Amino acid sequence: MRSLRYGRVAVYLVTLLTLIVGMQAFAQDAEDNLLPVTEAYKLSADASTPGVVKLHWTIAQDYYLYRGRMAFKGGDGVTLGEAQLPNGEKHDDPYLGPVETYHHSVDATIPYTVAPGTTTLALSVRYQGCHETDPKICYPPHTEHLNLPLPTAIAPANQLAAAFGAPAQALTGNNAPLPAEQAFRFDAIAQDAHHLLLRWTIAKGYYLYRDQTKLAVKDAPKLSLSPSWPAGVPHQDAHFGNTTVYFNELTLPVSVDGDAQGMSSLAIVASFQGCQEGGLCYPLMTREAQIDLTGHGGTKVETAPNPAPEMPPASAKKTDSLNVSFLYALLLALGGGLVLNLMPCVLPVLSIKAISLIESGENPARRRMHALMYTAGVLVSFAVLGAVIIALKTAWGAHLQNPIVVAALTLIMLAVALSMSGVVQFGASLGNTGSSLASRSGPAGDFFTGVLAVVVASPCTAPFMGTALAYALVAPIASAICVFLALGVGLALPFLAVGFVPALSRWLPRPGRWMETLKEVLAFPMYLTAAWLAWVLANQRGADAVGLLLVAAVLLAMTLWWFERSRHRGGLSRALVVLLALFTLVPLYYLATLPAKAQAASTADGIVAYSPEKLAELRKAGTPVFVDMTADWCVTCKANEHAVLNGDDFKALLKRTGAIYMKGDWTNEDPAISAFLQAYHSPGVPLYVVFPKHGGAGQKLPTVLTFSLVEQALNKAAE
């Protein structure tokens, strides 16, 4: 019987081996008919145009590329703008849902900027495609690393060169700046009485600013011009910040608004400004063009006197924040930090601290230690956060634009909530699971609770904080750090008071078994915070990101479960905890490669999406505008929307005043919104600005709104 049993086992093993070998042979035959990924999708790159890299894929027959699976990342010293890709063929993928694909070939154009001293353009290009005939397989995501030579750099021009209009031979050096008329040739023609075509021919190695270009009609007050700006190249400028520039040539269609019947010619005035790469920037240039509208004559272009430069509405108040005294800024920061304790984004974390204070019972020394270590965590975090913001000129709360930060915070909130629910015990000795609650809440736990409180507090903006933070962003470094430390003192002040004032500590209830129940109940705000952060991530990167986050959450739960079970086990079991924790990071790696979710052109009925061009158009038309800069991760923004901006009274107010509600979504990084925040010296969102009907500077509103405040501003703007 035993030999028969062994014979059956041998037959099973032989059969299984035969199947495995057969499947491998079949797979090998199928793979032999497939091209290597770099031959199926041949990638070539061209960086000969300054500021733009062009990519081209030649796609083999029966293969296709996914549009949504393309990702681009700059190397050291390289910052990439948004890739320009054509629309693909739309169809429903059985695994990915609605997708766009490319067959045969596809081109991509990516604007870029490089840091000083960068000699090569380093970028990573990630893409994924499939074979659509038998065998129908999809390649795994493939990344190619490119190092392209940059266009020949233009050496800095002679700083002592003569006036820009001097003859070329009078300027020394091969890279001396050209005369303005040669660097930027301007011309204009009329397509018909209501449509013009303006063209700037830009010399190689020069660029033209979009936002410094102004157009106006001369001697025809009833006519106005509406340009349709083409996509330019994002550019980080030392003078204007994040802006857009044009290289080589700018062709600008312009509509003539108004009654131009009976006019045979039209005089327009164009003011513009540009620079030589690595050299000097030209002063404002003005050209006056007399355009024939009949189609029989030409266009006469003359140099006109330069008008006085028009500054942005907020630029005249650039030093307003410094008009606040240092002591007053500290008091505002202290008050803002104190009020942060009441903000909904901070309350879940403060529940952890409340539990630790209650656990300390009547022991004064332990209460003081809890308060001091928590305060130390808060102050160190605010000092580091302040230094980063000052060094990088990053706005308050902008770290939540990074989906990896949002995902990591979600997992931290989940881990803390599971701990409060009793699933896992952090800080307990590996050899003593029966240690008391107090022994599990040591100084390190208090310190990192303070760190966590600061991290989740940054999306919130309390009253008084706006002025203090604006002061910090323009004040000397030492004064700015003091402002951030004052915010930290305000946030930690309630716990310092309870820890050091005996009269306040008597208000704390006596320890008991009810504390464990309270801790478990307070875990649910942590779960809700994790759910809110997952919603923010969905708005940033879509459903794929949430799916990856859920996988990471399951792996985290598995890690914590095995961490708890491994307390009494050997080193191998504890090593498995580390392995599971590393697996938790894998979904976050793939999440980092997902492209940003495209923002809708308008957010809702009656709401216009922010763009500098649209705002300029509305202001030119004499329309009062209420601009709301917001983000999904900004709790103060959502509170203002719930209390004021989403209400029927606000909608009726807009209708009564004829105002337009314009909203800018800063959930993901947006250079145009960043520039607007910088222009109004706002440390972050929310930012509310009301522009009056008949021109003039915009009125900046407080970060916490009331309906009466908004009503007063809009009524004044509509006068």
Side-chain angles (χ1 to χ4, degrees):
M1 294 294 293
R2 182 175 297 178
S3 61
L4 180 60
R5 185 182 307 163
Y6 288 157
R8 289 177 178 174
V9 171
V11 170
Y12 292 152
L13 289 175
V14 171
T15 303
L16 179 60
L17 183 60
T18 302
L19 288 173
I20 292 174
V21 172
M23 291 174 64
Q24 289 181 338
F26 176 78
Q28 185 63 44
D29 289 341
E31 291 178 359
D32 288 342
N33 294 324
L34 294 174
L35 295 172
V37 63
T38 53
E39 293 186 19
Y41 314 102
K42 293 182 179 179
L43 174 62
S44 59
D46 176 17
S48 61
T49 302
V52 176
V53 59
K54 300 176 183 178
L55 304 177
H56 175 80
W57 282 267
T58 300
I59 305 172
Q61 184 68 28
D62 298 328
Y63 292 80
Y64 61 85
L65 278 176
Y66 288 108
R67 185 181 192 272
R69 294 292 177 171
M70 290 183 173
F72 311 94
K73 184 178 181 180
D76 293 339
V78 178
T79 302
L80 300 181
E82 185 176 356
Q84 304 296 319
L85 288 162
N87 294 328
E89 301 174 23
K90 297 181 179 180
H91 70 91
D92 287 326
D93 189 280
Y95 302 103
L96 303 177
V99 296
E100 294 184 36
T101 59
Y102 300 118
H103 289 80
H104 309 303
S105 66
V106 63
D107 292 284
T109 302
I110 310 173
Y112 70 85
T113 56
V114 294
T118 304
T119 57
T120 60
L121 178 64
L123 70 155
S124 300
V125 181
R126 184 172 178 267
Y127 55 88
Q128 185 178 11
C130 298
H131 186 238
E132 58 187 351
T133 60
D134 290 332
K136 296 181 179 180
I137 64 99
C138 286
Y139 293 86
H142 178 72
T143 301
E144 292 194 36
H145 301 282
L146 306 178
N147 281 285
L148 308 173
L150 287 170
T152 304
I154 308 248
N158 184 354
Q159 299 295 320
L160 300 177
F164 291 112
Q169 60 268 25
L171 301 172
T172 60
N174 294 332
N175 292 319
L178 295 171
E181 292 77 7
Q182 296 182 23
F184 307 96
R185 297 181 184 274
F186 174 73
D187 198 5
I189 59 172
Q191 295 176 305
D192 55 51
H194 292 282
H195 296 90
L196 310 177
L197 200 61
L198 311 186
R199 180 179 289 108
W200 285 262
T201 302
I202 305 166
K204 187 175 182 180
Y206 293 75
Y207 57 86
L208 187 73
Y209 292 107
R210 182 187 69 184
D211 297 337
Q212 305 308 311
T213 304
K214 309 294 182 184
L215 304 174
V217 178
K218 185 179 180 181
D219 300 329
K222 295 183 179 180
L223 299 181
S224 61
L225 302 178
S226 299
S228 299
W229 294 100
V233 177
H235 176 67
Q236 179 64 38
D237 191 82
H239 302 286
F240 302 114
N242 292 321
T243 186
T244 301
V245 299
Y246 298 98
F247 291 89
N248 301 324
E249 183 179 271
L250 167 60
T251 301
L252 181 64
V254 177
S255 298
V256 180
D257 302 324
D259 187 7
Q261 295 297 327
M263 297 182 63
S264 60
S265 65
L266 181 68
I268 68 168
V269 178
S271 300
F272 50 91
Q273 190 172 7
C275 296
Q276 180 190 27
E277 285 190 284
L280 297 177
C281 285
Y282 290 72
L284 193 68
M285 297 164 275
T286 303
R287 303 289 182 267
E288 183 176 314
Q290 191 74 29
I291 305 173
D292 180 77
L293 300 179
T294 64
H296 302 298
T299 298
K300 183 180 180 181
V301 178
E302 295 180 348
T303 301
N306 293 332
E310 181 182 349
M311 302 300 288
S315 296
K317 300 182 179 181
K318 187 173 182 179
T319 59
D320 277 0
S321 299
L322 288 175
N323 291 334
V324 177
S325 69
F326 176 60
L327 179 60
Y328 186 52
L330 289 180
L331 292 175
L332 289 174
L334 183 68
L338 188 62
V339 177
L340 271 180
N341 287 281
L342 304 177
M343 304 304 287
C345 53
V346 186
L347 284 174
V349 178
L350 297 189
S351 65
I352 306 172
K353 196 68 226 137
I355 287 294
S356 66
L357 283 175
I358 293 173
E359 287 171 356
S360 63
E362 296 297 328
N363 189 324
R366 287 170 59 187
R367 283 199 303 272
R368 288 195 293 269
M369 179 59 69
H370 279 306
L372 287 174
M373 292 307 298
Y374 172 79
T375 302
V378 169
L379 292 180
V380 169
S381 301
F382 263 112
V384 172
L385 184 61
V388 171
I389 289 175
I390 293 168
L392 301 180
K393 299 299 181 185
T394 303
W396 178 259
H399 60 280
L400 287 184
Q401 291 178 335
N402 189 324
I404 296 301
V405 174
V406 175
L409 277 176
T410 305
L411 297 179
I412 290 172
M413 293 296 175
L414 178 61
V416 172
L418 290 173
S419 174
M420 296 177 71
S421 296
V423 175
V424 64
Q425 298 176 359
F426 295 123
S429 170
L430 292 177
N432 182 19
T433 56
S435 59
S436 65
L437 288 171
S439 68
R440 295 201 302 268
S441 302
D446 294 323
F447 181 89
F448 286 106
T449 302
V451 173
L452 185 60
V454 173
V455 172
V456 300
S458 56
C460 293
T461 304
F464 323 123
M465 277 182 62
T467 304
L469 288 173
Y471 174 90
L473 293 178
V474 296
I477 294 178
S479 300
I481 293 296
C482 289
V483 169
F484 280 98
L485 290 176
L487 280 168
V489 172
L491 181 61
L493 194 57
F495 294 104
L496 282 172
V498 171
F500 282 85
V501 180
L504 295 177
S505 64
R506 295 192 191 101
W507 292 356
L508 296 175
R510 294 182 177 277
R513 297 182 62 181
W514 62 271
M515 293 191 317
E516 189 67 24
T517 301
L518 177 62
K519 185 168 76 170
E520 293 172 357
V521 169
L522 290 177
F524 291 99
M526 306 298 291
Y527 289 119
L528 289 174
T529 304
W532 166 66
L533 289 168
W535 172 77
V536 171
L537 186 64
N539 288 337
Q540 289 178 327
R541 292 297 187 270
D544 287 349
V546 176
L548 289 169
L549 178 63
L550 292 175
V551 172
V554 172
L555 290 172
L556 175 64
M558 186 184 299
T559 303
L560 298 178
W561 166 74
W562 188 252
F563 169 76
E564 197 65 27
R565 288 181 63 89
S566 66
R567 291 186 185 276
H568 299 288
R569 298 174 183 265
L572 184 61
S573 295
R574 291 195 291 271
L576 184 58
V577 173
V578 177
L579 183 62
L580 288 172
L582 292 176
F583 276 127
T584 304
L585 301 178
V586 174
L588 301 186
Y589 168 78
Y590 287 103
L591 191 152
T593 65
L594 294 177
K597 185 178 178 182
Q599 299 296 330
S602 61
T603 52
D605 291 340
I607 302 178
V608 177
Y610 170 79
S611 72
E613 296 80 13
K614 187 63 177 178
L615 177 59
E617 178 185 332
L618 290 172
R619 298 207 67 195
K620 193 172 184 179
T623 304
V625 185
F626 181 92
V627 175
D628 170 11
M629 294 302 182
T630 182
D632 288 334
W633 39 260
C634 171
V635 178
T636 307
C637 305
K638 298 304 174 186
N640 286 332
E641 290 173 9
H642 177 74
V644 178
L645 303 179
N646 290 342
D648 293 336
D649 291 342
F650 178 69
K651 295 177 183 177
L653 175 63
L654 292 174
K655 187 175 181 180
R656 185 172 70 250
T657 58
I660 294 296
Y661 182 16
M662 177 173 281
K663 181 181 286 189
D665 188 352
W666 208 46
T667 303
N668 291 308
E669 185 177 359
D670 187 317
I673 296 177
S674 299
F676 189 89
L677 296 174
Q678 187 178 13
Y680 283 89
H681 311 290
S682 174
V685 291
L687 171 63
Y688 306 103
V689 181
V690 176
F691 291 96
K693 180 178 182 180
H694 298 295
Q699 178 188 355
K700 183 178 175 181
L701 303 184
T703 55
V704 178
L705 296 180
T706 62
F707 178 75
S708 60
L709 185 70
V710 175
E711 183 179 32
Q712 181 181 1
L714 282 177
N715 284 335
K716 182 179 178 181
E719 292 177 355

